């Protein structure tokens, strides 16, 4: 099959950024250096002054965040079954036990009532994943975390630029992770960041992302914890700085595309849509447009639907499979029927393209194709 011409994601890297990256390459200082510091300072400003450290991915940021909380064997970490594999993988990787709870069907955010019920004396942290359109209720989440003395690691990979009561995600709360993978709201090729509470925690992150090394007074080094190798190169940070400056423009573009999706889907086809913020801005960022297909009224599988769209040149995805039902999840207590909403989303969801390089006409084309394919598949 030919590659779809309407891609799933398509980063916008301008010529100034490319020239800037070339300059960093020529400078000879290509590993972590001044651009990482600048990127971290800009991200910190974005988070109302909270310390931020850059890492090679959001996955690295989640791993380091769990280590920063001292989470390991014997500990339990509660997460939603509707998230990307990162969350499950890193909880298992640090030796902790993942505890799955369900999500809400429309917002896909973690069900806080179920979190409360899942807490045991061994629970150390909650890892909620935020979705475009509506954030998890941060007031309720942090009230619960404080009452039960739990750490929170917000997986904000998809929602850089979303706001809670007027403040950016990352500006409030406990630990928050961002991704700068090319599919996200901004990119540094690969890259991620971890927002922390204090300079002391930031120092810990610096050790955890670089071999666990601490510098001693006699100018030798010591390692007390097996740290990773997750420092972001300066070439990536240079790109990240330029991208962050364009975030408002990217967010406005994405919002206009989401509005168009909502307008087109209002009449047809009958899919479950993401939550639509009340005001035009609404403080929400948009990354991907995930709908639930009316499969019970279609004589077609999701796989066939996706192939029909791809035949029309439109790339699609699945965001996400249910974590409790993947092989690793099942090995850690996941079972069928445990998280009905997450499992229904996993069966019925399809991700439609939504990225800043698209036009409104592209959205019209996706919606026309989806309508046509679903109409033809009506039993
Ligand atoms: C993309 C994504 C991640 C992983 O980000 P990387 O930077 O690729 O490691 C984690 N969680 C969610 C919800 C994501 O969408």
């Amino acid at each position: 099959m030919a590659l779809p011409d309407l891609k799933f994601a398509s980063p916008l890297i301008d010529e100034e950024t490319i020239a800037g990256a070339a300059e960093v390459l020529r400078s000879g200082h290509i590993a972590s250096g001044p651009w990482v510091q600048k990127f971290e300072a800009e991200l910190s400003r974005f988070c109302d002054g909270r310390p931020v450290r850059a890492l090679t991915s959001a996955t690295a940021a989640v791993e380091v965040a769990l280590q920063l909380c001292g989470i390991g064997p014997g500990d339990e970490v509660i997460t939603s079954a509707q998230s990307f594999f990162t969350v499950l993988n890193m909880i298992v990787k640090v030796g902790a036990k993942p505890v799955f709870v369900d999500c809400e069907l429309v917002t896909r955010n973690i069900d806080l009532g179920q979190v409360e019920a899942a807490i045991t004396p061994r629970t150390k942290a909650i890892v909620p994943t935020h979705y475009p359109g509506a954030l998890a209720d941060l007031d309720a989440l942090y009230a619960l975390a404080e009452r039960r003395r739990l750490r929170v690691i917000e997986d904000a990979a998809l929602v850089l630029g979303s706001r809670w009561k007027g403040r950016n995600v990352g500006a409030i709360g406990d630990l928050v992770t961002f991704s700068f993978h090319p599919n996200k709201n901004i990119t540094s090729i690969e890259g991620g960041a971890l927002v922390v509470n204090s300079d002391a925690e930031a120092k810990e992150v610096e050790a955890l992302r670089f071999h666990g090394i601490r510098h001693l007074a006699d100018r030798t080094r010591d390692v007390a914890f097996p740290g990773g190798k997750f420092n972001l190169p300066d070439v990536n940070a240079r790109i990240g700085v330029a991208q962050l400056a364009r975030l408002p423009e990217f967010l406005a573009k994405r919002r206009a595309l989401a509005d168009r999706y909502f307008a087109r889907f209002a009449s047809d086809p009958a899919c479950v849509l993401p939550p639509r913020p009340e005001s035009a801005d609404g403080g929400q960022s948009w990354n991907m447009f995930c709908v639930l297909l009316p499969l019970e009224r279609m004589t077609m599988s999701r796989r066939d639907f996706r192939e029909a769209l791809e035949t029309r040149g439109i790339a699609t995805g699945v965001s996400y499979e249910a974590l409790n039902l993947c092989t690793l999840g099942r090995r850690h207590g996941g079972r069928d029927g445990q998280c009905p909403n997450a499992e229904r989303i996993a069966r019925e969801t399809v991700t439609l393209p939504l990225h800043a390089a698209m036009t409104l006409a592209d959205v019209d084309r996706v919606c026309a194709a989806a309508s046509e394919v679903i109409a033809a598949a009506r039993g």
Side-chain angles (χ1 to χ4, degrees):
M1 202 188 297
L3 276 178
D5 61 283
L6 181 52
K7 290 197 238 93
F8 188 62
S10 195
L12 288 174
I13 312 276
D14 53 51
E15 289 304 319
E16 187 276 333
T17 306
I18 292 169
E23 222 169 273
V24 175
L25 284 168
R26 284 193 201 96
S27 76
H29 204 147
I30 57 177
S32 301
W35 282 102
V36 166
Q37 286 183 5
K38 184 165 170 60
F39 192 28
E40 290 175 342
E42 299 285 324
L43 287 165
S44 173
R45 208 154 57 93
F46 184 80
C47 295
D48 289 357
R50 298 183 74 209
V52 182
R53 289 298 177 268
L55 295 124
T56 43
S57 67
T59 302
V62 172
E63 181 174 351
V64 166
L66 289 161
Q67 291 172 336
L68 184 66
C69 296
I71 291 169
D75 297 330
E76 294 178 4
V77 178
I78 299 173
T79 194
S80 167
Q82 183 51 230
S83 182
F84 186 55
F85 298 115
T86 284
V87 172
L88 168 63
N89 286 351
M90 294 307 108
I91 293 168
V92 172
K93 201 172 166 197
V94 301
K97 178 179 181 312
V99 175
F100 303 111
V101 299
D102 207 356
C103 64
E104 295 165 356
L105 184 70
V106 172
T107 67
R108 305 187 177 200
N109 285 315
I110 195 164
D111 182 331
L112 290 176
Q114 293 196 21
V115 171
E116 177 104 54
I119 296 170
T120 76
R122 284 187 294 279
T123 307
K124 288 283 163 22
I126 311 166
V127 186
T129 294
H130 290 299
Y131 286 87
L135 297 172
D137 183 335
L138 292 182
D139 295 339
L141 171 67
Y142 281 103
L144 170 62
E146 241 164 70
R147 190 152 39 78
R148 306 301 296 263
R149 298 183 180 283
L150 300 175
R151 297 299 301 259
V152 175
I153 303 168
E154 295 176 44
D155 172 4
L158 290 171
V159 296
L160 184 75
S162 284
R163 295 198 297 275
W164 178 256
K165 298 189 171 165
R167 299 183 70 187
N168 286 330
V169 169
I172 51 172
D174 190 357
L175 304 174
V176 183
T177 60
F178 292 117
S179 172
F180 311 124
H181 178 275
N183 287 3
K184 312 299 162 132
N185 293 348
I186 66 166
T187 187
S188 62
I189 307 179
E190 297 283 359
L194 173 59
V195 188
V196 298
N197 297 290
S198 63
D199 292 338
E201 280 190 351
K203 273 258 168 303
E204 281 283 308
V205 172
E206 287 168 14
L208 290 168
R209 76 178 170 186
F210 196 76
H211 311 287
I213 286 176
R214 279 172 208 292
H215 295 272
L216 305 180
D218 68 354
R219 299 192 63 198
T220 63
R221 294 164 296 179
D222 185 36
V223 165
F225 182 91
K229 182 63 167 64
F230 303 131
N231 58 303
L232 190 73
D234 251 24
V235 181
N236 301 69
R238 172 67 182 85
I239 296 167
V241 167
Q243 287 269 301
L244 187 59
R246 291 186 69 186
L247 179 65
E249 170 203 340
F250 293 159
L251 292 178
K253 189 81 194 289
R254 287 171 174 277
R255 196 152 50 231
L257 297 167
D259 283 344
R260 186 70 149 218
Y261 267 119
F262 280 117
R264 293 284 312 222
F265 269 104
S267 46
D268 179 75
C271 295
V272 175
L273 303 181
R276 188 173 194 183
E278 274 152 35
S279 62
D281 174 332
Q284 300 305 310
S285 65
W286 288 96
N287 184 294
M288 317 190 292
F289 197 81
C290 300
V291 303
L292 300 186
L293 294 173
L295 288 174
E296 74 287 355
R297 282 178 276 132
M298 291 165 64
T299 56
M300 182 185 237
S301 67
R302 175 177 59 188
R303 183 204 150 104
D304 291 344
F305 173 85
R306 293 183 64 198
E307 276 177 11
L309 252 63
E310 275 151 33
T311 302
R312 289 161 173 78
I314 299 164
T316 64
V318 171
S319 314
Y320 298 103
E321 295 82 355
L323 293 180
N324 58 317
L325 300 187
C326 73
T327 301
L328 183 64
R330 287 180 189 277
R331 215 180 280 152
H332 290 273
R335 25 172 233 291
D336 294 288
Q338 180 182 24
C339 301
N341 288 339
E343 292 170 34
R344 177 174 164 198
I345 292 166
R347 281 192 305 273
E348 299 180 356
T349 195
V350 64
T351 309
L352 303 174
L354 196 173
H355 54 76
M358 278 171 70
T359 63
L360 296 179
D362 288 329
V363 174
D364 291 345
R365 180 181 151 203
V366 173
C367 292
S371 291
E372 182 190 309
V373 172
I374 290 172
R378 237 162 226 151

